[in-house]
Amino acid sequence: MSDGSNLPDDVSTLPAGSPLTRAALEIDEYAATLGWDLPARLFALVDSAALRKADPRIAEQLGLPDGGEPGLTPVEQDELPAGMELDKFLGTIAWPAAVAGCALVVERLMLPPGAEQSRPRNASDAQLADWVANHPKREEVRITAAVLRDGSKEIALRLRSKDVAREVLTGPDLVPGLTEALLATFV
């Protein structure tokens, strides 16, 4: 990368090129305006041109100009059910044909590479969660995972300690388990 960082090749901090990357970054920016410590948010991704053609009135309300460039329009869904595990909730989703993809915003704690070596052995899920929450090198992150029906995927990852748009990392494989779970909502 030209910025001299040690990021993997599939991670970018440059302006987005693909419609999916642009949608993930748009959703990340929206989430950033809401602040931190919020519940997960789910979005349908709709082809902008198809939306303009199918319902010009709604497209106008959303600020989609006629003849605009190809893209995806994020449409926020209702709040996720309180108390339901995310994996179980995602298993209940069925998207209509007009939805080209979906995106999910979640906040998590992440540990740096190598932290697994000090992981407590035979710990329960609660003990592991406590270990991560109290680890001195933990990072709070906001993850925006976006996928399309065709299997395309993108992640925008924002560290709370570097909460500015130019520091958002993108890449298709940053959180593979999350993108796979979202892709399963289209099966």
Side-chain angles (χ1 to χ4, degrees), residues 39-40 79-89:
E79 284 188 24
L80 281 62
M84 184 179 234
E85 291 181 29
L86 187 58
D87 292 351
K88 289 182 180 170
F89 172 71

Side-chain angles (χ1 to χ4, degrees), residues 110-120 131 135 137-138:
M110 293 182 79
L111 298 178
E116 283 290 314
Q117 295 172 353
S118 64
R119 176 184 171 164
W131 173 72
H135 195 283
K137 293 188 177 181
R138 74 187 177 281

Side-chain angles (χ1 to χ4, degrees), residues 24-118:
L25 288 170
E26 179 182 337
I27 293 167
D28 169 77
E29 270 300 308
Y30 167 72
T33 66
L34 302 174
W36 287 85
D37 304 318
L38 296 173
R41 303 179 105 73
L42 182 67
F43 297 81
L45 298 176
V46 181
D47 179 272
S48 300
L51 179 59
R52 282 190 295 271
K53 184 176 180 180
D55 198 331
R57 186 178 55 73
I58 289 179
E60 184 178 330
Q61 287 175 347
L62 294 173
L64 300 175
D66 283 334
E69 67 181 63
L72 296 164
T73 299
V75 180
E76 187 167 7
Q77 304 300 291
D78 291 335
E79 284 188 24
L80 281 62
M84 184 179 234
E85 291 181 29
L86 187 58
D87 292 351
K88 289 182 180 170
F89 172 71
L90 291 176
T92 67
I93 296 174
W95 296 104
V99 174
C102 67
L104 181 72
V105 178
V106 295
E107 294 178 16
R108 294 290 185 259
L109 293 176
M110 293 182 79
L111 298 178
E116 283 290 314
Q117 295 172 353
S118 64

Side-chain angles (χ1 to χ4, degrees), residues 128-175:
L128 285 176
D130 186 57
W131 173 72
V132 171
N134 292 302
H135 195 283
K137 293 188 177 181
R138 74 187 177 281
E139 281 277 1
E140 292 179 73
V141 297
R142 181 181 302 118
I143 304 163
T144 302
V147 300
L148 295 178
R149 285 183 186 271
D150 69 5
S152 301
K153 52 191 176 179
E154 188 64 78
I155 295 283
L157 190 137
R158 181 184 291 248
L159 301 173
R160 191 170 190 162
S161 63
K162 296 181 179 185
D163 193 5
V164 292
R166 73 176 183 278
E167 296 287 340
V168 174
L169 305 175
T170 60
D173 298 315
L174 294 175
V175 188

